[in-house]
Amino acid sequence: MDKTVEESKGEGTAVNTAVVPVPKLEEDSYDWWARHERVLRTKDEVRPDIVLIGDSLTHFWGGPAEPESRHGSGEAWAALFGGRRVLNLGFGWDRTQNVLWRLDQGQLDGLSPEWVVLNIGTNNTSETVNARANTADEIADGVRAIIARVRAKAPAARIVLMAVFPREEAPDHPRRALIREINARYAGLARELGAVFVDIGPELLAADGTLPQEIAFDGCHLTERGYERWAAALGRTFGFEEA
């Protein structure tokens, strides 16, 4: 079962699960534990200037630790990151609490990136048998805790906080409203904590507010065209176009 938080209110939300570190919660198309071990083996070899932290949207884009499969052709990744040292810490189905666990288990230890890009929170809007959905405030608290971890482990890094990407085809879907609430909190959090807030949502949607399959093939995960828009936004943020 996959419900949004709007369908799950009143089901016992005393403890904010978004801030309690936990390892793997959900089954996916890859071995979560093997990927974690691969990250720990390869992170120091990469010596990244850029670290991407996230869920499947990041995981299946590309780069070391290499994904088991890609969403898209990889051309946008190569155009943005080709020749640069980048570490991909995206794990499919991860929530904020999984990222906290991974950071506590050393995935960022000893690294000195110039940039850390954080794209997390969309899976916290879903309820499964393994984890409940979270409110916008809870998810923002989870991101606050992640940013605190990143600051402690890579104090010189500039942090890019991505707005949660639009989900579901229809603009009036309840999850869209929740994502708007989350992103309003993310924008305030970025201002408060000195992160760079980047929202590419308008660039992913059609003029009528729908999310086209040409951008997100299943109403969530990006196609190559979707990744092109994300890459362009990150290139502007990093100042690559000025180099």
Side-chain angles (χ1 to χ4, degrees):
M1 177 179 290
D2 181 351
K3 299 187 292 183
T4 70
V5 71
E6 293 300 320
E7 299 169 303
S8 307
K9 286 181 178 177
E11 296 181 3
T13 59
V15 176
N16 182 3
T17 55
V19 301
V20 180
V22 294
K24 171 187 172 179
L25 286 167
E26 310 292 348
E27 293 298 329
D28 207 330
S29 61
Y30 72 104
D31 187 326
W32 192 97
W33 290 102
R35 181 167 175 79
H36 173 60
E37 292 301 323
R38 189 160 67 250
V39 165
L40 295 181
R41 290 195 306 269
T42 62
K43 66 184 183 68
D44 296 319
E45 298 173 4
V46 176
R47 295 182 298 109
D49 293 321
I50 301 168
V51 174
L52 308 181
I53 299 175
D55 46 46
S56 57
L57 292 157
T58 299
H59 179 174
F60 296 109
W61 193 4
E66 293 294 340
E68 296 72 13
S69 61
R70 288 180 183 268
H71 293 167
S73 66
E75 292 180 9
W77 176 279
L80 178 64
F81 296 125
R84 293 183 168 91
R85 299 196 304 272
V86 184
L87 179 67
N88 184 330
L89 299 184
F91 280 58
W93 249 122
D94 265 17
R95 304 169 186 246
T96 55
Q97 54 264 46
N98 302 117
V99 171
L100 289 169
W101 187 92
R102 293 195 279 114
L103 293 177
D104 287 347
Q105 299 303 313
Q107 288 193 359
L108 201 58
D109 287 7
L111 304 181
S112 301
E114 180 180 355
W115 293 94
V116 172
V117 179
L118 180 60
N119 186 9
I120 197 69
T122 193
N123 290 321
N124 290 80
T125 69
S126 296
E127 176 159 324
T128 71
V129 296
N130 300 309
R132 71 169 177 84
N134 294 108
T135 66
D137 285 333
E138 289 178 326
I139 296 167
D141 283 344
V143 168
R144 178 187 293 275
I146 292 170
I147 291 175
R149 299 290 206 287
V150 173
R151 293 267 192 241
K153 294 175 180 293
R158 298 186 65 186
I159 297 175
V160 176
L161 175 58
M162 299 299 306
V164 174
F165 296 165
R167 287 185 63 174
E168 316 298 346
E169 180 182 4
D172 59 353
H173 192 284
R175 198 190 303 266
R176 289 282 198 98
L178 176 56
I179 287 173
R180 286 193 294 271
E181 292 180 24
I182 295 167
N183 289 339
R185 285 157 178 78
Y186 280 15
L189 195 62
R191 288 192 298 270
E192 176 189 346
L193 300 180
V196 180
F197 180 66
V198 176
D199 184 1
I200 66 167
E203 300 171 51
L204 300 177
L205 297 174
D208 62 359
T210 58
L211 181 60
Q213 289 186 348
E214 293 79 11
I215 295 295
F217 60 86
D218 59 356
C220 175
H221 296 96
L222 298 180
T223 64
E224 185 63 21
R225 287 180 62 183
Y227 281 121
E228 287 172 1
R229 286 157 174 75
W230 190 8
L234 288 179
R236 293 190 297 268
T237 301
F238 298 150
F240 287 174
E241 296 177 346
E242 303 170 4

